[in-house]
Amino acid sequence: MSIGHILFDLDGTLLPMVQEEFVHFYMPLLANAYISRGVRLDPKSFIGSVWAGYEAMVKNDGTLTNREAFWTHIQDKLPISPEKSEEIALDFYENDFNQAECTTKPTPLSDQIVKAAKGKGMEVYLATNPVFPRCATMNRIRWAGLDAGDFKEITTYEECRFCKPNPEYFRQILEKFDLDPAQCLMVGNDVEEDLAIRSLGVSTYLVTDTMEDRKGLPFESEYTGTLKDLLLFIRKL
């Protein structure tokens, strides 16, 4: 196959992690960011509200940005204005969120993979599920030891109107850059979220180091392997 464009997932793929461990570590930190600023809330209820906001983004039908979908859903569950809430959240994701880096396992292979693809003349895109603000995504890129400037696109909640596993999320990237699905490869670790792009005619490489298959779904992928395998695969293209 002729690959000219590679879409990379971030969490669990270029940034190895166990998603559950990562989330369980940083969610209480987020709750504490509000409490430490004098916002009266129950941490457990607050975390439940954040999860409900996440679900609102996943179910977004494109009428709102994911950012709008999240804050519209969560605004009635917080004792302060959405504007103040987002201000606290953004400060958290710029700063204290970085404590969660300890739950990840960065590897130099990730930057080598991206650089190898670019060295072959390919365009690379960071197709990370757009449920985080841009500042949080830029921090996670840094944790992974990647150069944000390598990517032609980095998807975040400010601009995207769909989430994985909705194929419309991937379609927006393909249409934005007028990409031929037959010349694209999606690299990810999540069976449900990342392999959904196959419905658009895009081939996939399922990374197995920290593969996620929470629902035990049957799956097909043109390629599978570790990050080390992926680097060798790209070098041979």
Side-chain angles (χ1 to χ4, degrees):
M1 68 183 291
S2 175
I3 300 173
H5 308 271
I6 303 184
L7 287 69
F8 288 101
D9 174 57
L10 180 59
D11 299 338
T13 303
L14 292 181
L15 179 59
M17 66 166 70
V18 176
Q19 192 85 19
E20 192 173 346
E21 294 176 2
F22 167 65
V23 171
H24 284 178
F25 183 91
Y26 96 77
M27 281 284 198
L29 290 179
L30 178 59
N32 189 61
Y34 283 80
I35 294 169
S36 66
R37 288 166 175 78
V39 181
R40 299 181 65 182
L41 53 80
D42 172 66
K44 188 174 181 179
S45 296
F46 170 78
I47 291 172
S49 297
V50 172
W51 274 116
Y54 167 82
E55 288 296 328
M57 290 189 285
V58 172
K59 295 175 181 176
N60 192 3
D61 62 4
T63 55
L64 302 171
T65 63
N66 290 341
R67 170 181 170 270
E68 292 166 340
F70 179 84
W71 290 108
T72 298
H73 188 86
I74 202 175
Q75 64 183 356
D76 295 334
K77 299 175 175 63
L78 292 173
I80 55 177
S81 70
E83 292 76 20
K84 183 62 177 176
S85 295
E86 187 173 24
E87 181 182 317
I88 293 172
L90 291 178
D91 181 68
F92 165 77
Y93 282 117
E94 284 277 13
N95 298 292
D96 290 352
F97 178 60
N98 286 306
Q99 295 177 43
E101 183 179 359
C102 71
T103 67
T104 68
K105 301 185 185 302
T107 168
L109 285 170
S110 296
D111 188 55
Q112 291 169 24
I113 287 165
V114 173
K115 294 290 197 293
K118 288 180 67 71
K120 292 278 188 175
M122 301 173 193
E123 297 280 8
V124 295
Y125 309 77
L126 196 65
T128 178
N129 212 8
V131 295
F132 283 103
R134 186 171 183 83
C135 59
T137 300
M138 296 303 286
N139 273 331
R140 290 175 5 261
I141 290 170
R142 180 176 54 77
W143 302 350
L146 301 170
D147 180 355
D150 282 338
F151 298 98
K152 194 166 183 179
E153 174 77 325
I154 297 172
T155 55
T156 64
Y157 92 155
E158 287 92 344
E159 297 178 356
C160 291
R161 293 177 176 270
F162 301 99
C163 288
K164 302 176 187 178
N166 189 337
E168 294 304 313
Y169 159 73
F170 297 108
R171 192 189 307 277
Q172 281 204 311
I173 299 173
L174 299 181
E175 291 183 349
K176 179 176 180 179
F177 296 98
D178 195 25
L179 304 182
D180 177 356
Q183 296 181 347
C184 297
L185 178 71
M186 175 69 205
V187 175
N189 73 308
D190 192 296
V191 167
E192 181 182 20
E193 293 186 353
D194 298 316
L195 301 191
I197 197 173
R198 297 181 80 246
S199 67
L200 303 180
V202 174
S203 296
T204 56
Y205 193 114
L206 183 65
V207 174
T208 56
D209 301 74
T210 50
M211 190 180 88
E212 294 271 2
D213 187 14
R214 290 177 291 276
K215 298 180 181 178
L217 300 171
F219 64 87
E220 292 183 14
S221 179
E222 284 74 14
Y223 310 97
T224 59
T226 63
L227 285 175
K228 188 173 182 178
D229 295 332
L230 175 61
L231 178 59
L232 296 174
F233 171 82
I234 290 175
R235 284 176 172 168
K236 290 177 181 178
L237 288 175

